[in-house]
Amino acid sequence: MATSPPLLCLTITTLLVILNQCIAGVNTATTIPPKIGKGYRLISIEESPDGGLVGHLQVKQKNSIYGPDIPLLQLYVKHETEDRLRVHITDAEKQRWEVPYNLLPREQPPPLKQSIGRLRKNPVAQSEYSSSELIFSYKSDPFGFAVKRKSNGETLFDSSSDGSDPYGDLVFKDQYLEISTKLPKEASLYGLGENTQPHGIKLYPNDPYTLYTTDVSAINLNTDLYGSHPVYMDLRNVGGQASSHAVLLLNSNGMDVVYRGDSLTYKVIGGVFDFYFFAGPSPLAVVDQYTALIGRPAPMPYWALGKFPILTLPSIYLIVVLSFRSRIPVHLGFHQCRWGYHNLSVVEDVVENYKKAKIPLDVIWNDDDHMDFHKDFTLNPISYPREKLLAFLDKIHSQGMKYIVLIDPGISVNSTYGVYQRGIANDVFIKYEGKPYLAQVWPGAVNFPDYLNPKTVDWWVDEIKRFHELVPVNGLWIDMNEASNFCSGLCTIPKGKQCPTGTGPGWICCLDCKNITTSRWDDPPYKINASGLQVPIGFKTIATSAVHYNGVLEYDAHSLYGFSETIATHIALQGLEGKRPFILTRSTFVGSGHYAAHWTGDNKATWDDLKYSISTVLNFGIFGVPMVGSDICGFYPAPTEELCNRWIELGAFYPFSRDHANFYSPRQELYQWESVAESARNALGMRYKLLPYLYTLNYEAHMSGAPIARPLFFSFPNLIEVYGLSTQFLLGSSVMVSPVLEEGKSEVKVLFPPGTWYSLFDMTQAIVSKEAHYWTLDAPLHVINVHLYQNTILPMQQGGLVSKEARTTPFSLIVTFQAGAKEGEAKGNLYLDDDELPEMKLGNGYSSYVDFYSSVSDGTVKVWSDVEESKFALENGWTIERVTVLGLEGFGGKFALEVDGIPVVDTSKVEISATEQKFPQELEDGGDKKKSMMVDVTGLELPVGKKFKISWKMGSSG
């Protein structure tokens, strides 16, 4: 659903508030403030029972800027693994808010000391503490710490400060925490989201990076958006050799991160410093280590893809979090949605028109149009009568299609509404002064469920179960969960007038509201750059002095709201049919990728937004949320026909691929223009052929965190030229997507890293780069350039209009070598399973894994496989009918084939052909041109579940 226009450009009232703040001298994120205080000194340090270090820090000189200093801090340092270091700093005497350990399971730091005075002074003699990969070192006065790479002594993080630095020493107050690190000039940083970055994927010095979940449209640049991910990856290149690491500050409070190019400063309005350092050194290793902590990305179905109290959650919550926390779905096919499918017949027509246009479609979505007056878990009896909807679902389910609907967290305050009645009876809502906090969203006055409350989780699970019995949906789309509120402050339902009125925009606040400014939680001393304009942190959301379960303040838990709702929704869906849940969420936090997919929110139908989408998608891969995409053709307003052509060409290769439009925009389904339909058939046709590859990437993401869509530096980390490249990306390690991103262009400038790249749409065409080089390629309206790198084996199928259909077709293997290869090796893999089982793993009898290998040596070409868990593949009867080998010097015949070690004598059905490949530039070696051939082996009937080996003599190309 849309962000309301008042949130797209802030109101005059808000601007006046901002102006008054500026007049009062409030610091902004980009202003360099005076240094605060003299830091802390280390007064004791000793080994902890778990093998870490525990120290205590004492403030050196108190001041009252942003409030009083916390006088005594506890420092805890531990190498949790050989490549992960934790540095935790908190109040030594009082427990403070932290991200709940039952929402994001991890090791607990040691308890606070009851008597600081009895601590032994500095029993740890050395000032360095090391694992096999990282070294932690410190200086005592003023306290500062550094993290170094053991292999080369490179400093990864250094919090010490001197007079020449634009930042000061450690600051730790109740509502203001500050710490900084030096950075070398050659560092390239990525992450710190969610935001729309106009300069591309690399962090840009002096751009604002504010983390605080906010319902602000993605068209707003350099602004805190729907999610909070306080993690960055640092990629450095010294002497041509790259290394990368990552830094996570696990903190859910609002923060500004000031990046100056040679330093980075955190300014946080609460919580603790809980740093995790990940050693890498490759980008893939960094994400592997990061997701090992926060949890692996969820598996997806084939069709998709004072004291802080310790929270206690119901047993079902703990069981699911610990046992099922990585079992989530999403969808690899194509999705169609629109806010404004006013009745079921419109939805039926959309499905039928996709079929008529021969455009693949797996999932049809409803925004809130199916609801009865915008109320969750209801059906509009006129527009979406249950009997007709069930008949429609029976029909599309029989064809392999799926149906997903939206729900918002705001529950309509309505005494006749069963969901609300049961919520009140179970006391599930966030409170303000002992009463459910009142807000306004689409149905009018609402209360917000408190997902930190165990009773709320149980109630939410029950409501989803009730709704699923009403409508057997295949997944849920949870929106507006930052949480979004059309009003601000403390509100009451007006007497004597209807709210909402039923006419005009539904996002205009119609409650009677007053500002809440008396609390330091609603008006903290330091103002983060909220919404890019320093609006009050309670603006258009839940008042930050509202209270959750066990006294937890919204001030602390705000950015966890969507995350906690996602977990509760996952628990509910997991319990329905024992299948992989599908959840799409707008608001995300560290760990959301375990449970849900994400889309980039309300974008605009512009060429700039088309380009920006790539950086956001790539960032979420780094964040451990690999199933991500942007609204294809733009959410609003109307896209041009040319833009929609180019957007579906790109969007077909998003991990999550969905067309979605605004209520007020004209229809933009892909069949609305014949030219767009043609582009969709081409691009989505290729996506559906690549489903085996994409699903295998989903498995790899689940096992190691590896992003599905990746920046080029993941495969070419030593190549400085790709560090800021934000107009191309990789799917996996080897498939490069290079879209047209500018209006009126019929060609595209593409950077090719060294090696041979083969066009996936025409494998006779190849590009050879001896070094990183830009080539200008033809890209007429219906063409997107997609290339496959050398030394790869790519599994494909024949495609179809639904993934269920595509999945039954025979396989082909594309094997690539360096052009004109006489010697070489290639490899690939394939994962297959029953994609609706909760877990994605081998050994359960419902999955198979195949490694593919190929070599060129001594004039012989070999292609073979090694199968693990063959049973599932054999039972499904999958076969490989074609093997295409690219880049050979020639072909000479003498073909041989064996299956499971037994020679196949009759190969009469096998046909072999060779085609000379073409290059836009001459391929030279020692001044002599050489040929490169594409060899096609067809007529094969190789069972995927059996080991095979084929070989032939390469011979001469003539």
Side-chain angles (χ1 to χ4, degrees):
M1 189 178 293
T3 298
S4 56
L7 297 179
L8 303 180
C9 59
L10 297 170
T11 63
I12 294 175
T13 303
T14 305
L15 293 174
L16 290 174
V17 170
I18 296 161
L19 179 60
N20 289 334
Q21 289 180 341
C22 292
I23 293 171
V26 174
N27 288 322
T28 67
T30 55
T31 300
I32 300 176
K35 297 180 182 180
I36 303 173
K38 302 295 183 181
Y40 286 74
R41 68 169 61 90
L42 181 69
I43 60 171
S44 70
I45 190 164
E46 61 185 2
E47 290 187 8
S48 60
D50 63 357
L53 298 178
V54 176
H56 288 87
L57 311 174
Q58 188 175 63
V59 69
K60 293 187 64 175
Q61 180 177 312
K62 294 181 180 179
N63 66 74
S64 59
I65 302 173
Y66 302 135
D69 297 278
I70 292 178
L72 198 64
L73 305 178
Q74 176 172 287
L75 166 71
Y76 172 61
V77 182
K78 187 181 179 185
H79 292 283
E80 293 190 338
T81 70
E82 290 301 319
D83 45 36
R84 182 174 84 223
L85 169 69
R86 185 182 190 183
V87 178
H88 182 277
I89 303 174
T90 187
D91 188 330
E93 298 176 302
K94 295 180 180 178
Q95 193 170 17
R96 289 179 61 80
W97 166 261
E98 299 186 45
V99 174
Y101 283 78
N102 48 15
L103 284 187
L104 194 65
R106 58 202 189 279
E107 292 185 30
Q108 293 264 11
L112 303 177
K113 296 289 184 180
Q114 296 303 309
S115 178
I116 304 301
R118 291 200 298 269
L119 285 174
R120 292 177 296 155
K121 306 298 183 182
N122 299 313
V124 175
Q126 73 274 17
S127 61
E128 289 191 349
Y129 170 56
S130 66
S131 69
S132 64
E133 300 295 334
L134 296 174
I135 300 171
F136 171 85
S137 64
Y138 63 88
K139 65 184 186 69
S140 299
D141 190 5
F143 173 76
F145 73 89
V147 179
K148 298 180 181 179
R149 190 181 299 284
K150 193 170 185 179
S151 61
N152 59 10
E154 184 179 28
T155 299
L156 309 184
F157 193 95
D158 182 1
S159 73
S160 61
S161 170
D162 57 46
S164 63
D165 293 320
Y167 52 86
D169 290 304
L170 173 69
V171 180
F172 205 115
K173 301 168 184 284
D174 191 23
Q175 290 184 266
Y176 182 78
L177 287 65
E178 181 181 316
I179 196 169
S180 302
T181 179
K182 295 179 174 65
L183 292 168
K185 291 183 179 179
E186 66 270 15
S188 296
L189 268 58
Y190 311 87
L192 295 180
E194 177 180 9
N195 57 26
T196 301
Q197 300 174 191
H199 298 106
I201 188 173
K202 275 180 65 172
L203 299 189
Y204 196 79
N206 300 316
D207 273 359
Y209 296 96
T210 298
L211 283 76
Y212 190 74
T213 62
T214 308
D215 177 7
V216 172
S217 168
I219 71 170
N220 292 272
L221 307 180
N222 293 324
T223 301
D224 47 314
L225 300 180
Y226 314 105
S228 176
H229 295 271
V231 62
Y232 69 85
M233 179 185 290
D234 183 334
L235 178 62
R236 303 179 187 179
N237 191 304
V238 179
Q241 289 297 311
S243 62
S244 59
H245 65 276
V247 179
L248 166 67
L249 173 55
L250 187 55
N251 183 302
S252 63
N253 290 83
M255 69 181 78
D256 290 329
V257 185
V258 181
Y259 173 51
R260 302 181 183 91
D262 58 0
S263 69
L264 185 144
T265 299
Y266 297 91
K267 301 180 177 188
V268 193
I269 61 172
V272 302
F273 286 130
D274 193 3
F275 282 105
Y276 291 86
F277 301 91
F278 306 91
S282 71
L284 273 178
V286 166
V287 180
D288 186 0
Q289 295 153 15
Y290 179 60
T291 56
L293 172 70
I294 68 167
R296 302 298 191 189
M300 307 158 224
Y302 205 85
W303 57 267
L305 245 45
K307 283 190 176 180
F308 159 54
I310 301 299
L311 298 179
T312 57
L313 297 179
S315 57
I316 184 174
Y317 197 113
L318 293 174
I319 289 170
V320 175
V321 167
L322 295 177
S323 301
F324 297 119
R325 62 187 309 237
S326 296
R327 305 177 183 177
I328 302 267
V330 177
H331 188 281
L332 294 175
F334 180 69
H335 306 239
Q336 177 61 52
C337 184
R338 175 181 173 79
W339 179 27
Y341 287 148
H342 299 294
N343 56 55
L344 179 60
S345 64
V346 176
V347 177
E348 292 172 323
D349 286 345
V350 169
V351 172
E352 190 61 31
N353 285 329
Y354 265 94
K355 188 180 300 183
K356 288 179 181 178
K358 293 183 167 51
I359 301 171
L361 178 65
D362 260 80
V363 190
I364 187 70
W365 295 58
N366 264 130
D367 204 297
D368 72 351
D369 303 292
H370 68 286
M371 297 181 185
D372 184 21
F373 292 102
H374 307 286
K375 298 193 300 290
D376 282 347
F377 309 123
T378 64
L379 287 178
N380 185 311
I382 306 300
S383 303
Y384 285 83
R386 181 170 183 260
E387 294 75 14
K388 291 185 178 180
L389 179 58
L390 292 179
F392 169 69
L393 295 186
D394 285 343
K395 179 180 178 180
I396 65 169
H397 286 159
S398 69
Q399 299 168 357
M401 291 183 62
K402 308 295 181 182
Y403 177 63
I404 295 171
V405 299
L406 173 140
I407 53 175
D408 291 333
I411 300 300
S412 176
V413 176
N414 186 326
S415 60
T416 65
Y417 175 35
V419 177
Y420 173 74
Q421 292 172 330
R422 291 184 289 271
I424 289 292
N426 286 282
D427 193 22
V428 304
F429 297 115
I430 293 171
K431 301 288 182 57
Y432 189 88
E433 295 181 344
K435 299 178 181 179
Y437 178 76
L438 191 71
Q440 181 188 329
V441 200
W442 299 111
V446 299
N447 296 150
F448 286 116
D450 174 12
Y451 299 104
L452 299 183
N453 185 340
K455 290 196 298 184
T456 304
V457 177
D458 291 339
W459 163 81
W460 190 249
V461 168
D462 180 62
E463 294 302 337
I464 289 176
K465 180 176 180 292
R466 290 170 182 264
F467 181 62
H468 192 265
E469 290 171 352
L470 182 72
V471 185
V473 296
N474 302 107
L476 289 173
W477 169 19
I478 53 177
D479 192 13
M480 309 288 285
N481 52 352
E482 291 72 32
S484 178
N485 181 1
F486 297 161
C487 302
S488 300
L490 182 61
C491 303
T492 57
I493 298 175
K495 295 180 179 179
K497 66 175 183 178
Q498 183 178 341
C499 175
T501 62
T503 60
W507 52 77
I508 300 300
C509 180
C510 57
L511 301 178
D512 289 335
C513 302
K514 63 179 181 180
N515 290 334
I516 306 174
T517 58
T518 56
S519 164
R520 64 189 177 105
W521 309 116
D522 296 293
D523 187 24
Y526 176 78
K527 317 299 187 214
I528 63 170
N529 193 32
S531 301
L533 291 168
Q534 283 197 296
V535 297
I537 57 174
F539 178 75
K540 299 289 188 179
T541 188
I542 300 168
T544 44
S545 53
V547 179
H548 292 257
Y549 176 70
N550 268 359
V552 171
L553 287 170
E554 170 69 9
Y555 180 88
D556 293 312
H558 171 82
S559 289
L560 295 174
Y561 191 78
F563 181 45
S564 61
E565 184 199 14
T566 301
I567 295 174
T569 306
H570 179 258
I571 293 170
L573 292 181
Q574 180 74 60
L576 287 177
E577 297 177 333
K579 296 180 180 181
R580 291 181 201 171
F582 173 86
I583 303 168
L584 183 71
T585 180
R586 191 168 74 177
S587 185
T588 59
F589 187 72
V590 175
S592 286
H594 293 294
Y595 306 99
H598 173 65
W599 90 108
T600 65
D602 298 342
N603 57 5
K604 204 169 184 179
T606 70
W607 292 90
D608 281 342
D609 284 74
L610 172 67
K611 180 175 63 177
Y612 300 151
S613 72
I614 296 176
S615 294
T616 307
V617 166
L618 298 182
N619 261 331
F620 270 88
I622 294 172
F623 296 153
V625 188
M627 184 53 60
V628 60
S630 187
D631 283 348
I632 292 170
C633 297
F635 183 64
Y636 73 98
T640 65
E641 184 174 349
E642 181 189 3
L643 176 63
C644 206
N645 269 277
R646 294 309 191 186
W647 212 319
I648 185 54
E649 289 168 5
L650 167 60
F653 298 97
Y654 291 150
F656 173 65
S657 184
R658 184 183 72 158
D659 182 312
H660 179 44
N662 184 287
F663 186 96
Y664 295 98
S665 299
R667 297 283 292 273
Q668 64 183 45
E669 292 84 7
L670 303 179
Y671 54 77
Q672 297 289 347
W673 305 269
E674 179 48 42
S675 70
V676 176
E678 183 177 345
S679 293
R681 285 189 289 267
N682 290 343
L684 289 173
M686 180 58 72
R687 180 189 180 89
Y688 275 60
K689 292 176 183 177
L690 288 173
L691 285 178
Y693 178 66
L694 292 173
Y695 195 66
T696 302
L697 292 179
N698 171 35
Y699 175 70
E700 292 177 359
H702 178 55
M703 298 306 292
S704 69
I708 296 173
R710 309 172 189 175
L712 267 69
F713 65 75
F714 268 67
S715 288
F716 303 95
N718 293 332
L719 199 63
I720 294 176
E721 292 90 336
V722 303
Y723 284 11
L725 188 61
S726 306
T727 55
Q728 303 164 224
F729 62 94
L730 295 171
L731 292 174
S733 61
S734 304
V735 174
M736 184 170 71
V737 181
S738 307
V740 173
L741 301 172
E742 296 179 71
E743 185 176 11
K745 299 290 186 181
S746 58
E747 57 186 23
V748 62
K749 191 176 181 181
V750 179
L751 178 64
F752 286 92
T756 305
W757 297 85
Y758 298 92
S759 170
L760 209 50
F761 284 93
D762 181 359
M763 287 178 282
T764 65
Q765 302 286 328
I767 298 287
V768 176
S769 283
K770 293 184 179 178
E771 57 187 22
H773 188 77
Y774 276 99
W775 292 95
T776 299
L777 306 181
D778 288 337
L781 189 60
H782 306 302
V783 170
I784 181 170
N785 282 276
V786 182
H787 288 83
L788 180 62
Y789 194 50
Q790 65 187 35
N791 306 327
T792 301
I793 300 179
L794 181 72
M796 299 176 70
Q797 286 177 286
Q798 294 179 356
L801 297 183
V802 180
S803 62
K804 179 181 178 181
E805 169 192 332
R807 203 176 185 197
T808 63
T809 61
F811 282 83
S812 60
L813 301 179
I814 312 301
V815 183
T816 62
F817 293 105
Q818 187 174 357
K822 294 182 180 179
E823 302 283 334
E825 295 181 347
K827 60 184 178 179
N829 45 49
L830 174 65
Y831 176 81
L832 301 161
D833 73 359
D834 179 342
D835 70 304
E836 292 194 331
L837 287 178
E839 294 184 280
M840 180 177 251
K841 66 177 185 179
L842 293 171
N844 59 6
Y846 295 94
S847 57
S848 295
Y849 188 84
V850 186
D851 283 307
F852 297 110
Y853 303 94
S854 185
S855 67
V856 179
S857 181
D858 299 326
T860 300
V861 180
K862 297 178 182 178
V863 183
W864 71 97
S865 70
D866 188 14
V867 182
E868 189 175 352
E869 304 287 340
S870 62
K871 175 176 173 287
F872 180 73
L874 291 174
E875 288 177 348
N876 280 274
W878 284 305
T879 60
I880 299 168
E881 70 167 13
R882 183 177 197 148
V883 174
T884 303
V885 184
L886 311 177
L888 297 177
E889 185 186 34
F891 173 73
K894 298 184 179 179
F895 178 82
L897 168 64
E898 61 181 58
V899 176
D900 276 350
I902 301 172
V904 177
V905 178
D906 183 7
T907 59
S908 58
K909 294 182 179 179
V910 176
E911 296 184 5
I912 305 175
S913 60
T915 305
E916 186 173 344
Q917 292 177 305
K918 302 172 184 177
F919 304 89
Q921 82 281 19
E922 289 188 349
L923 191 63
E924 297 185 355
D925 184 7
D928 297 324
K929 292 182 181 179
K930 59 181 180 182
K931 292 182 179 179
S932 181
M933 308 296 291
M934 179 179 78
V935 176
D936 223 6
V937 183
T938 59
L940 299 168
E941 296 178 353
L942 303 174
V944 171
K946 292 186 177 183
K947 298 179 182 180
F948 70 86
K949 181 185 293 183
I950 59 178
S951 62
W952 65 85
K953 291 293 182 182
M954 187 154 55
S956 171
S957 60

